[in-house]
Amino acid sequence: MNSTAAVLGRVVSDLDGSIESAVRSSGLDGMSDAEKLEVLRLAGEAQRRLDALVTETVACVDGRPTVSGVPTFPAVFGCRNMNELLQRVLRVDASGASRVGKAAEAVNRNAEITTGARLPARWPGLREALLDGVVGIAGLLAAIDPIDRTRGRIDGQDRLRADAALADCARGIDDTVADPGGADAETDAAEARRAEAGPAATPDDLRQYAQLIATYLDPDGSAPSEAQAAVNRSLTFGRLRDGVYPIRGALLPEVYAQLKLIIDAQTNPRTTGPADLGVAFTDSDSRTSADGAGSIDSAGTLAGSGSAGVGADMGDALPGGCGSPEDPFNSDPRAVIDSRTRPQKQHDALATALSIAARHDDMPSLGGAAPTLVVQVEASDFAHGTGWAHIAGADAPVPVSVAAHTVCEGMIQRVLFDEGRIVGITTTDRLFNAYQRRAITLRDKECIIPGCHVPASWCEIHHVEEHSRGGPTHTDNGVPLCYWHHRTIDISGWQIRMVDGKPQIRGPAWWDPEQKWRTPRPLLPEWVGG
């Protein structure tokens, strides 16, 4: 009887022979495209089966406690732990070894305490798919990670149902075929689905399907997911090296999708390429353009209708700005109103820049229009403010609150669904047009939240009374909110109302214990020359 090690030894020897004849002797060069594809297919089959063998071997290693007096499995071979042993034996890095260990935990069958019999694996369906060579370690982990991230909010029965559905997906089986009823009929239906199985799923396919399953099994998970995503967002810049600045960060799904749309528009072969957005320098005598937009004079100073020069203090330039003695509520010297870290602020600045760039006249079009972010949401979820939405181009769903937040921008379109049927599409008539934006910008100057001094021209225009609830798209119902405050307005404790067409703010109790409605920044007295 051949041992497993002996069989694998022969496999390695045969592979050496194949490499010698196909690679070292340039045998691959003479193959047709079909033959090369078959080599890749069979190599993948072999690799997945080796993944199964490695995973099951690691899974069957007994976990001897270090206090038992018996050396642990890694210690027997001079290693501190299993990760180090796998790195040395498999010649993978620490991350690769961790992935093997996690896969082994997923397929491990613990022994029953009294009889010693093996219990089912935590993921029995996916384990069978692994043993059959349908998935490898990458596919197994892609399938289980989204479910595991629910942190136990999905019970064991639902997890097993998810396991069976993911195993069918991995095999290319259509799990939507109706069950005719009865045990025999159920078996027949399962065999029919297997007989008509399509192409096997890739790890990305499994990950997306698992995310969809997790979304429906854990509908209340959007709040912690959104909070964790908000903490994780960042954008950092490295030091100049070889003439460039490295960028590192973690983008929220809607920001990633918007950036990808803009990049697609710029790189689309059907466009004429990126516009020339060079800085134009003008004489200081002709600083203001016809439409009031700012320009840069020959001294490098920003000019415009009522704007201050670059380098001037923004708080001095705007009424009620930071440090303005007229407005005791519009300063934040201890940064308690805006607690974002610098990487988080830089991420939000990028999100603002992307939103502005997407609606810029010089942005190349995609499909005959400016790059438009499409947000899909179920009408019932949107009405209740709970559940999930889907952004075209982003792999994972986002909370419905993100859908409500994003649709105030002109280059974002919301599509409402009811069990697959389109029941509503946002159109540009519910968005503030350029003339309204300019008027609101002139009135409010900055983000309406006290202590936040993002210029109104960079902000998103927020419907104080939600448009879906009858709020008009009118200057009396719109205020500027920066990206972050717009995203968090429903949960941050800040409240906004309009009185005679002018905004008022009521802040959270920690900011204003009296909980009074206040003018965001005081108006200039009448005696000030106008």
Side-chain angles (χ1 to χ4, degrees):
M1 183 175 180
N2 294 327
S3 68
T4 302
V7 171
L8 287 175
R10 289 196 297 273
V11 170
V12 171
S13 178
D14 290 343
L15 288 174
D16 285 340
S18 296
I19 292 174
E20 183 66 33
S21 62
V23 180
R24 297 187 189 277
S25 302
S26 301
L28 288 173
D29 295 338
M31 292 184 182
S32 65
D33 290 346
E35 289 173 327
K36 291 176 182 177
L37 180 62
E38 186 65 6
V39 168
L40 290 174
R41 186 187 70 81
L42 291 173
E45 295 280 357
Q47 191 171 47
R48 289 191 296 275
R49 283 162 174 79
L50 288 173
D51 278 355
L53 191 56
V54 168
T55 302
E56 286 290 332
T57 302
V58 174
C60 75
V61 172
D62 59 336
R64 308 165 198 167
T66 56
V67 296
S68 65
V70 180
T72 62
F73 180 83
V76 171
F77 302 100
C79 297
R80 289 168 296 181
N81 50 46
M82 182 60 76
N83 189 284
E84 180 186 351
L85 185 144
L86 293 175
Q87 290 183 56
R88 295 182 182 277
V89 174
L90 302 179
R91 299 181 191 175
V92 295
D93 59 9
S95 176
S98 295
R99 290 170 63 81
V100 173
K102 186 173 182 179
E105 290 179 6
V107 303
N108 180 40
R109 295 179 300 154
N110 293 320
E112 209 275 333
I113 297 177
T114 57
T115 65
R118 289 289 182 178
L119 298 172
R122 177 175 171 81
W123 298 91
L126 287 169
R127 175 177 180 267
E128 287 300 318
L130 179 72
L131 296 179
D132 291 342
V134 176
V135 297
I137 290 176
L140 175 67
L141 296 183
I144 68 176
D145 277 350
I147 310 296
D148 282 344
R149 280 200 297 270
T150 61
R151 297 178 176 86
R153 292 189 297 271
I154 294 178
D155 61 31
Q157 184 177 359
D158 282 341
R159 177 173 47 77
L160 291 176
R161 290 168 54 201
D163 168 67
L166 288 166
D168 280 351
C169 176
R171 299 177 187 275
I173 297 173
D174 183 3
D175 200 33
T176 62
V177 176
D179 180 6
D184 293 339
E186 181 179 355
T187 302
D188 293 342
E191 292 178 354
R193 289 196 297 268
R194 288 178 178 272
E196 297 181 4
T202 67
D204 281 343
D205 295 335
L206 288 170
R207 180 179 293 106
Q208 292 181 17
Y209 190 41
Q211 287 170 342
L212 182 63
I213 291 174
T215 297
Y216 283 98
L217 291 181
D218 185 30
D220 297 329
S222 59
S225 174
E226 182 180 11
Q228 187 61 47
V231 172
N232 291 341
R233 79 193 193 285
S234 67
L235 180 66
T236 58
F237 302 92
R239 294 186 177 183
L240 183 67
R241 178 181 298 177
D242 297 330
V244 295
Y245 289 92
I247 297 178
R248 177 178 298 174
L251 305 182
L252 293 170
E254 68 271 22
V255 178
Y256 159 78
Q258 185 72 78
L259 176 60
K260 188 173 182 297
L261 276 172
I262 291 176
I263 292 175
D264 288 345
Q266 296 285 1
T267 57
N268 190 333
R270 295 190 178 185
T271 68
T272 57
D276 182 5
L277 300 179
V279 177
F281 289 85
T282 62
D283 293 334
S284 58
D285 294 337
S286 57
R287 298 163 107 183
T288 306
S289 61
D291 64 354
S295 60
I296 300 180
D297 64 18
S298 56
T301 304
L302 178 67
S305 178
S307 65
V310 171
D313 188 284
M314 182 65 74
D316 296 335
L318 298 175
C322 183
S324 171
E326 295 90 353
D327 183 8
F329 296 99
N330 198 20
S331 61
D332 188 20
R334 293 180 294 129
V336 294
I337 294 178
D338 189 349
S339 60
R340 293 174 295 168
T341 64
R342 183 173 181 84
Q344 291 172 341
K345 291 179 180 179
Q346 292 176 157
H347 172 281
D348 297 347
L350 174 62
T352 300
L354 293 178
S355 178
I356 295 172
R359 62 176 182 261
H360 195 279
D361 292 340
D362 291 330
M363 175 59 62
S365 64
L366 279 175
T372 302
L373 199 61
V374 180
V375 181
Q376 172 186 339
V377 59
E378 287 289 330
S380 59
D381 289 342
F382 186 78
H384 293 94
T386 60
W388 299 86
H390 297 268
I391 295 178
D395 295 331
V398 298
V400 163
S401 58
V402 174
H405 154 74
T406 55
V407 292
C408 286
E409 282 303 285
M411 293 305 126
I412 299 174
Q413 176 178 324
R414 182 177 64 205
V415 182
L416 295 177
F417 282 79
D418 183 11
E419 296 183 354
R421 177 190 176 192
I422 298 173
V423 296
I425 304 175
T426 56
T427 55
T428 54
D429 61 2
R430 58 96 53 212
L431 302 169
F432 291 94
N433 60 38
Y435 304 102
Q436 291 171 315
R437 287 184 61 93
R438 289 171 186 164
I440 293 171
T441 296
L442 182 64
R443 180 192 68 199
D444 296 328
K445 305 295 190 300
E446 302 175 334
C447 172
I448 205 70
I449 301 299
C452 181
H453 303 292
V454 174
S457 58
W458 295 4
C459 291
E460 302 166 359
I461 305 301
H462 168 67
H463 284 80
V464 176
E465 183 180 356
E466 173 59 38
H467 183 270
S468 63
R469 295 174 172 81
T473 303
H474 189 278
T475 53
D476 285 353
N477 192 45
V479 294
L481 288 175
C482 71
Y483 169 84
W484 178 245
H485 283 123
H486 194 187
R487 183 182 176 89
T488 60
I489 191 63
D490 295 329
I491 60 174
S492 62
W494 295 98
Q495 295 175 282
I496 307 172
R497 73 179 183 183
M498 303 296 290
V499 178
D500 296 330
K502 294 175 287 188
Q504 292 185 346
I505 289 287
R506 181 160 66 186
W510 60 263
W511 180 74
D512 181 11
E514 298 180 13
Q515 293 280 277
K516 290 184 177 180
W517 287 100
R518 304 180 184 276
T519 301
R521 52 189 58 82
L523 300 175
L524 292 175
E526 294 181 356
W527 53 263
V528 175

